[in-house]
Structure formats: structure tokens, C-alpha cells
Amino acid sequence: MPHFTRRALLSTASAALLGCATETVAPAPLAPPVTFTTEEDHANMMAQLGITQLRPGRNGLDPTHPNYANYDESRANPYPTLPDPLRTKDGRAVTTAQMWWNVRRPEIAEYFEREIYGRVPANTPSVRWEVIETKEEMAGAVRTNVRRLTGHVDNAAYPAITVDMDMQIVLPADAAGPVPIVLNFLWINPPPFLRNLPPEPSPTWRDLILAKGWGYAILVPNSIQDDNGAGLTRGIIGLCNRGQPRRPEDWGALRAWGWGAGKAIEFFASDPAIDERRVALQGHSRYGKAALVTMAFDERIACGFISSSGMGGANLARRNWGEIVENLAGSGEYHWMAGNYIKYGGPLNAGDMPVDAHELIALCAPRPVFISSGAQEGDGWVDARGMFMAAAGAGPVYRLLGKRDLGTTTFPPIETTLIDGDVAYRQHSGGHTPGPNWPVFLDYAARYFGAGQ
């Protein structure tokens, strides 16, 4: 008869009494992803917040509509007082850089995470980048190396959702060393509704970057997270939530796209041809919002070109001009933001927000950031003056950190170039496009990045 210790006999007896104690228990099956329409997801979040009604957003297309967007400056500032970026929530003045970094900046970042843009989960999945195509091309007189990559997001924890990020990297082939890179939120292969736009003037922004001896990358935001509310139980947000609807403090698409940019920067750091210390981030319109939000939270970004970002980006929420908070709280755009943002479209309002866009720009300090917009005819929706006011409002933080502000608080005439400071601004006379400001931005960024090698 085999010899058993008393402890072994007790363990064996306990196992017999429990029946299956010595067997491996199969984990419970994971629930499939919830399938909501955008309207259903928006209603679900409103129910979580206990909200039954929202104020309507502004109509930007029909001047005869009773709720047409306001373009009258005399009615544009219903909340003339902005939160003070240099006063703590308990009323103390912020007088030193140390106090900014240790006290006030974390307070502001917490407000933006909880109330405006949402929290990125503490343990997001890893990404494995795969080069799926490599080729050499001529871009004018510049020989380039072009790579197409897929970033496979680890979905072992929830295999029902797959996320594969799409990125292209173009570098000058004859560079003698690592070069700066401009990362763009953009489409590599535009969808049909973007294919009929007028061709870019020559030289293109790509040509201008390569002429400086720098490289560029294009990251496709919709390959990270869909640009609609129905997609919130898919993409990286759905993967992290295991296919279930968001909670009010969960991240929205702007931060999800920014998370993808952070994974792109991790790849840059592994590439000896790229100087990951000199990464600029560019985005236009909704991607301009994403670029500013990303730069505010990711200090690896050395410089930003924030184009026509409007409400939810560089424009003050406390402005009544063009697009307003109520537009972003509605079912068409709420997915960009945290669920908590919806409450500022009813029952609360923009004046109840604990922070505003000038403090989002201040989170970028002391790094250089260029705020850009077009003329009112064609780009009025994004509120050029409101974005200028926010850029000026970030000035005290830049000065506290030993950097230069815009140099003025007076809204300048169109085509005035304000790039002498570390906060920069320019309104061009074109429409809803970054094109006319690309050369200006690249000259501005060259002050910080220098030559390409």
C-alpha cells in the first residue's frame, strides 16, 4: 500500500467530498459583442447618466433654420470668464513650474479624462507591427523608402474582436542618420466620399516634408476605432470592454485614435532610421481634435500641427459660434468624447465644465503647438477666433515654464502669421483645409527639429 502523509489523506478526502476539486474548471464563455445602432448606444449612455432630454445642436447648413449656427460676434461669448489654468481647485495660485507639474497639471488632466475625453484603460493590449509591403519610390527628386504596416492588437483576452491598425511610413532613402517624422491622422486609401475632392496643389505637404530631409507617416484612425457610436462595442474600445457598452468615464474615439498614435511612436523608437525624439503630430478637422488631445496626454510628441479642430479641439467650449457643445453631445458626434460629456448638452451647459480648451493647449506646454484655421467663408464652423482665444489663454502656462506665448491677445487680421512664440497661430484665407498652412508649420517646426539628419 502506498505511503500517504496525513495532509495528503486530508486533501484527498476533501477532494472526494467536493467531487470536482481536482479537475480543471473550464472558464465561463465570453459573451458576444453587443450590437447597437448609434442611436441605441447613445440612448444607453443617456440612461446611465439619468438624462432624458438634450438641447439640440446647431444647424450649420440652412441659414433659414430656427437653430442655425451663430456667426455674430456680439452673441458669441455667453460665458466670458474662463477657468484659470494657474489656480488650483482649492484656490491657490500656481507660481512655480514645480507646482504646475505636481499639482495643477494633474488636476486639469483628471478633469479632462473624467468629464471630457474619457480614461484610457490601465492595461491596454500590446501591438505587434508587421511590415506587409516595402518599396522604393521617387517623390520629385527625393528617393524614398515606403513601408506599409499592420499593427496587430493582441486580442487573446477577447478573440471575438480583431483590431488591425493601418500605417504607412515614408522616409528619405539617402538620409545619413535618423530623421524627424511627421505623423498624420489620415486615410492611406480615402473612402469614396473623399475621392472627389480637388487635387492638392503642388508641392504637396508630402513633398514639403521630404524636401526638409524629414519623413512622414500616415496612421488610419478608423482602423483603430470606428468613427461612429455603433462601433463603440468594436475596435480598441470594444476590445478593452470585451464587447460591452461604455461606462460614462470610458474613453471615446479621440483618445482611442491617440492610443494608436502612441503605439506608432513605439514602433518609431525601434527604427534606427527615425529620431523618435523629433515626432510631430498633425491632424485636420476631427483628426485635428484627436491630434491636440493626443499631444496633451502623450509627452513623447515633440510638436503639433492642429488644423481646424473646432469644438472638442482647440475651440473654447464657452463660445457660441458655429459648432457648439450640444452638437458634440448629440448622437452624431458623442462617440468622440467620454460618455460624461453628454450631460453638458443637458441638463448642464458649457459654463459648468471644470476646464476648457485653453487648458487642453496648456497641457501641451512647454512643447511647441501650432493652431491653424481657414477663413470664415468655408471654415466658419470651427471658430477661428475661439481657437485663437484658447491659444492666447494657454500663454500664462507657457510663460511660467519659461517659454513664449503668442505675443498678443488681440485677434489678428487674416493671414497674420504668429509663429515667434512656442504657441503659434495662423488663420489662412482658404477653406476647410490645412493646405495653406503646411509651409508655415514646417518652417515653425524646423526651429525645433533643425535639419533632417
Side-chain angles (χ1 to χ4, degrees):
M1 178 178 177
H3 174 73
F4 290 97
T5 65
R6 183 172 181 272
R7 178 174 296 176
L9 287 168
L10 288 172
S11 298
T12 303
S14 298
L17 288 171
L18 293 172
C20 63
T22 58
E23 299 175 7
T24 300
V25 179
L30 295 170
V34 170
T35 300
F36 274 157
T37 65
T38 290
E39 290 71 21
E40 288 170 340
D41 186 86
H42 187 257
N44 175 274
M45 183 55 68
M46 286 184 62
Q48 290 188 57
L49 295 169
I51 297 173
T52 58
Q53 188 174 2
L54 297 175
R55 296 181 299 277
R58 290 293 167 82
N59 181 299
L61 300 175
D62 182 5
T64 66
H65 193 281
N67 200 35
Y68 184 60
N70 174 58
Y71 296 112
D72 178 354
E73 185 59 32
S74 69
R75 299 167 51 206
N77 293 295
Y79 310 104
T81 302
L82 298 177
D84 187 345
L86 292 181
R87 188 161 297 277
T88 66
K89 63 183 180 182
D90 62 4
R92 290 176 292 153
V94 178
T95 56
T96 66
Q98 182 181 21
M99 195 172 179
W100 165 256
W101 290 110
N102 294 341
V103 181
R104 186 56 177 158
R105 191 182 191 280
E107 286 179 354
I108 293 173
E110 165 63 16
Y111 284 138
F112 275 116
E113 288 199 298
R114 189 186 71 212
E115 299 294 312
I116 312 298
Y117 301 112
R119 302 186 191 278
V120 177
N123 297 306
T124 56
S126 61
V127 174
R128 176 179 61 85
W129 287 100
E130 176 187 10
V131 178
I132 59 174
E133 181 184 19
T134 302
K135 58 184 177 180
E136 187 175 287
E137 290 183 345
M138 293 300 296
V142 180
R143 190 167 62 92
T144 66
N145 291 324
V146 181
R147 283 173 290 171
R148 183 79 176 266
L149 301 94
T150 298
H152 302 287
V153 181
D154 182 3
N155 68 341
Y158 193 71
I161 293 176
T162 298
V163 182
D164 288 322
M165 300 192 293
D166 197 5
M167 181 167 69
Q168 182 185 64
I169 297 176
V170 180
L171 301 177
D174 299 321
V179 299
I181 191 165
V182 181
L183 175 61
N184 300 263
F185 286 128
L186 202 59
W187 294 89
I188 296 172
N189 293 312
F193 71 91
L194 290 177
R195 291 176 190 164
N196 295 324
L197 295 178
E200 288 185 71
S202 184
T204 69
W205 62 267
R206 298 167 177 83
D207 298 330
L208 294 170
I209 291 171
L210 293 168
K212 291 223 177 263
W214 305 351
Y216 67 86
I218 296 172
L219 181 65
V220 180
N222 285 34
S223 67
I224 305 163
Q225 183 64 46
D226 280 346
D227 191 8
N228 55 63
L232 289 170
T233 54
R234 307 296 196 279
I236 185 60
I237 294 175
L239 178 58
C240 290
N241 281 345
R242 300 193 174 191
Q244 302 308 298
R246 293 190 303 167
R247 296 168 295 274
E249 292 188 19
D250 286 351
W251 49 340
L254 299 183
R255 293 216 69 190
W257 297 338
W259 172 86
K263 294 302 177 182
I265 293 171
E266 289 178 8
F267 179 83
F268 299 160
S270 73
D271 187 337
I274 298 173
D275 184 352
E276 78 278 9
R277 299 166 302 171
R278 294 185 289 173
V279 175
L281 182 62
Q282 190 273 340
H284 172 68
S285 196
R286 66 195 61 194
Y287 300 149
K289 304 179 201 295
L292 181 57
V293 172
T294 303
M295 186 176 179
F297 284 98
D298 193 334
E299 295 181 51
R300 294 172 296 180
I301 297 164
C303 186
F305 178 14
I306 313 303
S307 174
S308 298
S309 59
M311 188 60 60
N315 189 23
L316 293 171
R318 286 166 170 79
R319 286 274 287 177
N320 172 30
W321 181 287
E323 186 177 36
I324 59 175
V325 166
E326 285 80 355
N327 289 90
L328 269 64
S331 61
E333 300 176 352
Y334 77 103
H335 61 278
W336 295 337
M337 321 299 283
N340 270 334
Y341 187 92
I342 293 175
K343 64 192 179 188
Y344 295 103
L348 304 178
N349 57 48
D352 295 312
M353 288 183 173
V355 284
D356 213 322
H358 64 303
E359 291 167 303
L360 184 67
I361 297 172
L363 292 183
C364 299
R367 294 162 292 152
V369 59
F370 179 91
I371 307 300
S372 164
S373 69
Q376 179 171 331
E377 185 63 35
D379 209 24
W381 187 246
V382 303
D383 190 4
R385 185 187 293 262
M387 291 188 290
F388 168 82
M389 293 168 66
V397 175
Y398 274 82
R399 294 195 301 271
L400 180 72
L401 300 181
K403 298 296 182 178
R404 293 164 294 174
D405 61 14
L406 279 177
T408 182
T409 57
T410 301
F411 186 50
I414 197 166
E415 302 285 1
T416 301
T417 300
L418 300 175
I419 60 170
D420 291 338
D422 298 287
V423 187
Y425 176 86
R426 186 172 186 268
Q427 181 188 16
H428 62 74
S429 56
H432 190 60
T433 172
N437 272 349
W438 264 110
V440 180
F441 167 72
L442 291 173
D443 287 345
Y444 167 73
R447 291 212 316 256
Y448 304 93
F449 285 4
Q453 300 160 26

